[in-house]
Amino acid sequence: MIGARGLLGSALRRAIDGRRGWTDAGAAPLPWHDDASLVSAARDSTHDLLDRVGENDHWTIIWAAGASVTASSPESLASERHQLELVLATIAAVANDLGLAGRGTFFYPSSAGGIYAGSEHPPFTESTVPAPIAPYGWYKLSCEASTAAFAESSGVAVLNGRIANLFGPGQRLDKMQGLISHLALAQLSPQPASIFVSLDTLRDYIYVDDCAALILDALDRLRIESAERRGLVITKNLASGRAVTIADLLGYFRLLSKGHPHVMLGNSPASSLQARDLRLGSEVWPDLDRRDLTPLPVGIHATIDDIRFRLQEPGRVSPR
């Protein structure tokens, strides 16, 4: 797991714990401060993982790292993509040297919102023509191209998961993303949350533990289907399939807190980079999407409780 301490990485570790057929290798965090150290550590971690692979085992590397958000600069996005490609090249080299590439899978978390922001005719599925309207969306699309090239050159199968709006306990609050978490924080602090988009804006919110379980199920399917086809690349939307408006969210907060949501409406140039309607669906392995999901009010309540606990513990509001 690369990036195991964030919102998604933490949930994936919880999902892996006790899951039949899966064992967490517990890799050390990678150093991101310079490329040489990053490549060296990625090589060591990949060797450590693949040295444990038995005769009938398969291996998976999950990428859950990244600090970029919609408003990130093109320079920071280019740097993150460069480091992704360095790690992919390192994994490919080690896996091919050990003759284990054909038994490997790789997961990359892409962004449904970024990729479909300018697309037409929602709900958007994997057959929808991508139409990013911000550098962040183009960055995610280019990273998907990088993972596809990695699969072709190495033989490792790849799952690109286009994730809807992810939320739940553990969201970083020092990043300008995660509306539900910022609304929850505002309910517990003097500072209101700022909303810069229309209240009828539609988004698909998926609870992080539901998303983690879906990812692991999809990786299990990928492992099976890639047995006869090296370097298979699958792109799947990972969403709840239920869209709600910002006004709906505020209504849930009103009910749960028994008071008015602590928000401030405003204008921002960045709002032009936000689509009004981002309903999502999936045509890829749709049977995996037929599952019970955490009800949105239950997930919001869990998020509020998590932030309340972190506010009581110094240094825990913005986990990294």
Side-chain angles (χ1 to χ4, degrees):
M1 182 99 62
I2 299 172
R5 294 181 293 177
L7 177 65
L8 180 60
S10 297
L12 282 163
R13 277 199 158 166
R14 291 194 298 271
I16 290 170
D17 186 30
R19 184 181 175 101
R20 185 175 180 181
W22 284 75
T23 301
D24 186 354
L30 294 179
W32 303 101
H33 56 276
D34 71 81
D35 291 349
S37 298
L38 175 65
V39 169
S40 177
R43 183 184 302 112
D44 291 344
S45 291
T46 306
H47 266 292
D48 182 63
L49 171 66
L50 300 190
D51 285 345
R52 304 183 191 189
V53 175
E55 183 177 353
N56 298 314
D57 292 339
H58 293 79
W59 57 271
T60 294
I61 292 178
I62 294 173
W63 183 280
S68 293
V69 296
T70 303
S72 293
S73 69
E75 293 76 17
S76 66
L77 297 174
S79 176
E80 285 203 13
R81 183 188 177 191
H82 173 65
Q83 291 193 315
L84 168 67
E85 291 178 338
L86 286 177
V87 174
L88 290 174
T90 303
I91 294 168
V94 174
N96 280 306
D97 284 348
L98 298 178
L100 292 172
R103 285 196 270 158
T105 53
F106 182 88
F107 172 74
Y108 179 76
S110 192
S111 168
I115 285 175
Y116 299 124
S119 297
E120 298 180 344
H121 310 302
F124 306 124
T125 68
E126 297 85 359
S127 61
T128 297
V129 177
I133 59 177
Y136 180 75
W138 288 110
Y139 152 72
K140 283 296 186 180
L141 202 57
S142 69
C143 288
E144 288 186 6
S146 296
T147 61
F150 159 74
E152 182 179 3
S153 65
S154 69
V156 176
V158 166
L159 172 65
N160 288 318
R162 292 177 177 171
I163 302 177
N165 287 61
L166 196 65
F167 80 101
Q171 177 86 57
R172 278 181 59 170
L173 300 175
D174 58 342
K175 295 171 67 173
M176 291 306 295
Q177 65 181 36
L179 177 59
I180 288 177
S181 291
H182 283 280
L183 288 174
L185 177 62
Q187 292 302 105
L188 302 168
S189 63
Q191 183 69 32
S194 297
I195 296 178
F196 299 110
V197 296
S198 171
L199 295 184
D200 64 355
T201 299
L202 279 164
R203 292 291 184 269
D204 184 303
Y205 294 92
I206 183 167
Y207 191 63
V208 64
D209 289 332
D210 295 334
C211 186
L214 179 55
I215 290 169
L216 296 187
D217 287 345
L219 284 168
D220 281 337
R221 180 71 60 85
L222 178 66
R223 174 180 53 80
I224 294 169
E225 296 202 1
S226 64
E228 303 297 328
R229 182 178 166 188
R230 285 173 57 92
L232 176 64
V233 179
I234 296 293
T235 299
K236 178 173 173 57
N237 289 349
L238 304 173
S240 70
R242 57 191 185 195
V244 298
T245 65
I246 305 300
D248 291 329
L249 281 185
L250 297 180
Y252 286 128
F253 274 92
R254 184 178 296 110
L255 290 172
L256 290 168
S257 64
K258 298 180 174 60
H260 291 292
H262 195 198
V263 299
M264 178 176 62
L265 304 181
N267 296 310
S268 169
S271 63
S272 64
L273 304 178
Q274 300 288 336
R276 180 69 64 85
D277 186 344
L278 274 175
R279 286 172 290 156
L280 298 168
S282 180
E283 301 170 342
V284 175
W285 299 335
D287 57 300
L288 297 184
D289 301 313
R290 293 193 284 270
R291 63 182 64 220
D292 293 330
L293 297 175
T294 303
L296 188 54
V298 174
I300 292 173
H301 190 275
T303 304
I304 294 172
D305 284 348
D306 171 65
I307 292 177
R308 179 181 291 111
F309 171 74
R310 287 154 60 189
L311 287 172
Q312 296 168 353
E313 296 288 327
R316 294 191 56 139
V317 173
S318 301
R320 294 180 180 271

